[in-house]
Amino acid sequence: MSRGRLRVYLGAAPGVGKTYAMLGEGRRGMERGRDVVVGFVETHGRPRTAALLEGMEVIPRRTMTHRGATFTELDADAVIARGPKTALIDELAHTNVPGSRNVKRWQDIDDILDAGIDVISTVNIQHLESVNDVVQEITGVPQRETVPDEVVRRADQVELVDMSPEALRRRMAHGNVYAPAKVDAALSNYFRVGNLTALRELALLWVAGKVDDQLDRYRAEHGIATTWEARERVVVALTGGPEGDTLVRRAARIAARTKGADLLAVHVTSADGLTGADPAGLARRRTLVESMGGSYHQVVGDDIPQALLDFARGVNATQLVLGASRRGRFAQILSRGVGVETTARSGSIDVHMITHDEVMKGRRRPARSRAALTRKRRLSGWALAVAGMPLLTVLLSPFRDVLSLPSEILFFLCLTVGVALAGGMWPAVTAAVGGSLLLNWYFTPPIGEFTINDPENLFALVVFVLVAAAVSSIVDLAARRTRQAARASADAELLSTLAGHVLRGEAAVPSLMERMRETFGFTSVTLLERRPEAGRTPDHRSDAWRIVATSGGAPSTSPGQSDTDVVIDDDMILAARGGPMDAADRTVLESFAAEAAVALRQERLQEAAERARPLAEADRMRTALLAAVSHDLRTPLASAKAAVESLGNTDVAWSDHDRAELVDTAKESLDKLDRLVANLLDMSRLQAGVLGLTPEPVALEEVVPRAVDDLGPVRDRIEGDVSVELPEIVADPALLERVLVNLMSNAVRYSPPDEPVLVTASRHGEHVEIRVIDRGPGIPPEAHDRVFQPFQRLGDRDNHAGVGLGLALSRGLTEAMGGTLVPEETPGGGLTMILTMPVSPGTVPA
């Protein structure tokens, strides 16, 4: 019996329509004559979902009792006994009641599949094990029911049931997901726009990964090596040369032309692990690629064109970006080069040959020491060559008649190999030449002459010289590669140290300078910056430079006073004292210097931003105050003045009713003026940082009722839903009450008369959210930030109802207490103000 097929409908959140889609597919199967049964479906009281169940065969559930309560579960045995072609089973991640056939429902489904029955099931992205912690971080809600990703990945078909956050919230507001009593709480907690957007992205990315896996598996199973352009993937090949920046930026522009294209950079190193490239240059290219949203890769291969194409085909790349050859014309005549060879073998991959400033300038190899061995070893090699060959000749001379020439050659060859091992190539070559002469004079007939009678002896001597030279060359090459490998390892360790230094946030300039001095053994390291008045002409005078940062002993005051200068840009140089540097060390030092310059610029930008922030705030407040004086102060003042003048007019006989109305008008105008002046003074105090705060633990069930009472006659239009189980928050009670009064009065003012204003509160991690929800006209999303600017009247208010200072003051007071205040659209119309405050320390976590 063949195993059944599993089809899973995956959703981003409850309510997107997974169960509805599953039932719809089941009904379509029934219409085609397929034997379909419902194993387990939860309608959650949704009429449209329940309507799809009509006329379908439903397998009775198994009734279970646990701790005195009765539960119903999927009866997997009954489904297997019934033996349908397809079974519809909801909630793949469900945990069964203890005592059931299996612990998890997905295990029940696995048994049903083993019985040869196809299963269609549903699951939400938050229940997948791999994203469980991410979902909890986003929503603040732990998910205790999970399913291993592999269970869903093994499914024969995974279909995403997608819906935009706005559409899902509208569906909820219309009562199509939860009961009306639960809608507001759900919308203000789990089903916030930000939460739903993040969950939707997780679901899309997970399904995209599943699709990529399916595509890779299909291509592997069918032996498809050609590129399928399902998605644009641009690969740029890097050599470590100076043209790398140009290639990366050009490749990034090519990738940017197609939405969703991937950028990958690859460097091919030889099979022995020695790249021959500048490690600091590769590190800079890697940083550049990652800053542009790409990824960096390194592969091993002796055939560079084939390695590039293997990598490109492995990632299903559609385009490959290469730099034009840096080799000279003569070298190009001898070999076609990487670019031409790659293009010839590329097949369906488009190859871009990019010109750059380094074309035809030749390949720059990293500097290396002339001697691969230490001085002591080279001297010992020369001593062995000079003294060893004559000594060996003396030792072998008595046995001239006993030993044949090939045996004598082997003795000399062994000594030559020993010289090569001790001193490298040139002492060994010298020993080989000298040995051949000694063999010719003392051991090759005619003895005592540099002539050879037997051609075979001549051939043996020539082979001796060639073998000796080859062995010495190999030994010398191995010694050089060993030193290069050690150098590369040291460079990698230093760059790793620098990367860790940056990742740990230790990017302060003094710390980097001290790290450089310690790493390279300098006596002092100084970062010099050209003075603006010195211009850009080369100048080594001390008065043309100023010291930005230094570490160690006496600093260098100009580039000419240091042993090593590293030019960072036209205006900045790193000057180091402590002896000259090896060329290979200099490349790593350049990375440190570049990082020091970046850290310096970041510090300066932060300082400039800190200096500019109070100036900008002061300028904004000054403009706002002038606006208030010019219009909003004058309006209530004019009303009060007109009322008082009318009362003082003796030419008119006012009735008691008229007089009382004029007095009320004057009083109302003066009250408005008093509130406006108080708000302006508080805004000024906030701006100046002198607003008095007394933060303390505050219970919302005490503050919210007081704020409602302060609203006066409109208090009856407020409906509250603040649980007494909420933790205390940290706030100034008086200021928090004032913020709530401002928010609720604003909501009441612009809500329809028959619509109440709802005030809710809920905990989210270490914060508590207070929501003031109205059903007024709302404001457009693009104006959400502007509504908090003083004297704004945007959508939610007319041009004659207040000065627009309440929300600005409310946000300022909230932020002064360590909270946030943001607006959000109310599903179905209106505006929701979300006040978030920190939970009091010591509160038991939710």
Side-chain angles (χ1 to χ4, degrees), residues 527-529 545 566-574 597 600:
L527 194 61
L528 299 173
E529 186 175 40
W545 300 85
V566 176
V567 178
I568 300 173
D569 56 29
D570 293 337
D571 296 320
M572 197 169 293
I573 287 178
L574 181 75
L600 176 64

Side-chain angles (χ1 to χ4, degrees), residues 47-59:
R48 295 184 180 180
T49 304
L52 286 177
L53 281 170
E54 295 179 1
M56 300 186 73
E57 180 183 350
V58 179
I59 301 295

Side-chain angles (χ1 to χ4, degrees), residues 389 392 405-406 408-417 428-440 456-472:
M389 287 297 176
L392 180 61
L405 180 61
E408 293 161 343
I409 288 177
L410 287 176
F411 279 106
F412 275 86
L413 182 60
C414 289
L415 180 59
T416 303
V417 172
V429 170
T430 303
V433 174
S436 67
L437 294 176
L438 291 173
L439 282 167
N440 189 357
E456 184 177 345
N457 293 338
L458 174 63
F459 176 75
L461 289 176
V462 171
V463 170
F464 162 71
V465 173
L466 293 176
V467 170
V471 170
S472 60

Side-chain angles (χ1 to χ4, degrees), residues 317-627:
T318 56
Q319 303 187 61
L320 180 60
V321 177
L322 303 173
S325 178
R326 287 186 283 149
R327 302 181 309 148
R329 294 185 182 277
F330 182 72
Q332 294 184 25
I333 293 174
L334 296 177
S335 173
R336 296 202 298 177
V338 172
V340 176
E341 193 66 34
T342 303
T343 304
R345 306 184 198 174
S346 62
S348 60
I349 301 177
D350 297 335
V351 178
H352 302 265
M353 296 290 292
I354 308 300
T355 187
H356 49 83
D357 294 338
E358 303 297 320
V359 173
M360 304 294 291
K361 290 185 178 180
R363 186 179 298 275
R364 302 177 185 176
R365 299 188 181 274
R368 64 182 183 182
S369 173
R370 292 182 179 180
L373 301 174
T374 62
R375 185 171 182 270
K376 182 178 180 180
R377 286 187 60 179
R378 285 184 285 116
L379 289 176
S380 65
W382 282 112
L384 185 60
V386 172
M389 287 297 176
L391 180 60
L392 180 61
T393 302
V394 173
L395 293 176
L396 292 178
S397 294
F399 305 99
R400 184 184 304 160
D401 297 332
V402 178
L403 297 174
S404 63
L405 180 61
S407 298
E408 293 161 343
I409 288 177
L410 287 176
F411 279 106
F412 275 86
L413 182 60
C414 289
L415 180 59
T416 303
V417 172
V419 172
L421 292 172
M425 183 173 67
W426 293 114
V429 170
T430 303
V433 174
S436 67
L437 294 176
L438 291 173
L439 282 167
N440 189 357
W441 184 270
Y442 289 102
F443 300 100
T444 306
I447 304 299
E449 298 180 13
F450 287 113
T451 58
I452 302 174
N453 291 335
D454 191 346
E456 184 177 345
N457 293 338
L458 174 63
F459 176 75
L461 289 176
V462 171
V463 170
F464 162 71
V465 173
L466 293 176
V467 170
V471 170
S472 60
S473 175
I474 292 172
V475 171
D476 183 73
L477 178 62
R480 291 182 185 275
R481 289 299 178 92
T482 300
R483 175 165 292 190
Q484 289 174 1
R487 169 69 66 186
S489 176
D491 290 348
E493 184 176 353
L494 288 176
L495 291 173
S496 175
T497 301
L498 177 61
H501 184 275
V502 175
L503 290 173
R504 289 190 299 270
E506 305 170 6
V509 177
S511 175
L512 279 170
M513 301 294 286
E514 180 63 22
R515 184 64 60 88
M516 271 189 281
R517 189 186 65 80
E518 294 175 353
T519 300
F520 297 101
F522 294 129
T523 56
S524 71
V525 180
T526 307
L527 194 61
L528 299 173
E529 186 175 40
R530 192 189 304 273
R531 297 182 183 276
E533 60 271 16
R536 292 187 176 273
T537 57
D539 197 340
H540 296 297
R541 296 176 304 160
S542 297
D543 58 357
W545 300 85
R546 63 188 182 92
I547 297 175
V548 176
T550 186
S551 176
S556 303
T557 57
S558 68
Q561 297 180 357
S562 59
D563 298 314
T564 301
D565 293 333
V566 176
V567 178
I568 300 173
D569 56 29
D570 293 337
D571 296 320
M572 197 169 293
I573 287 178
L574 181 75
R577 285 180 172 176
M581 289 193 67
D582 186 279
D585 283 336
R586 186 182 180 91
T587 59
V588 183
L589 180 63
E590 289 174 354
S591 298
F592 275 85
E595 178 59 31
V598 170
L600 176 64
R601 294 188 179 102
Q602 287 178 340
E603 287 183 1
R604 289 180 173 176
L605 286 173
Q606 290 175 355
E607 292 172 359
E610 291 297 327
R611 290 195 301 269
R613 186 176 293 109
L615 295 176
E617 291 294 329
D619 182 68
R620 186 174 64 85
M621 181 54 60
R622 184 164 46 250
T623 303
L625 289 172
L626 290 174

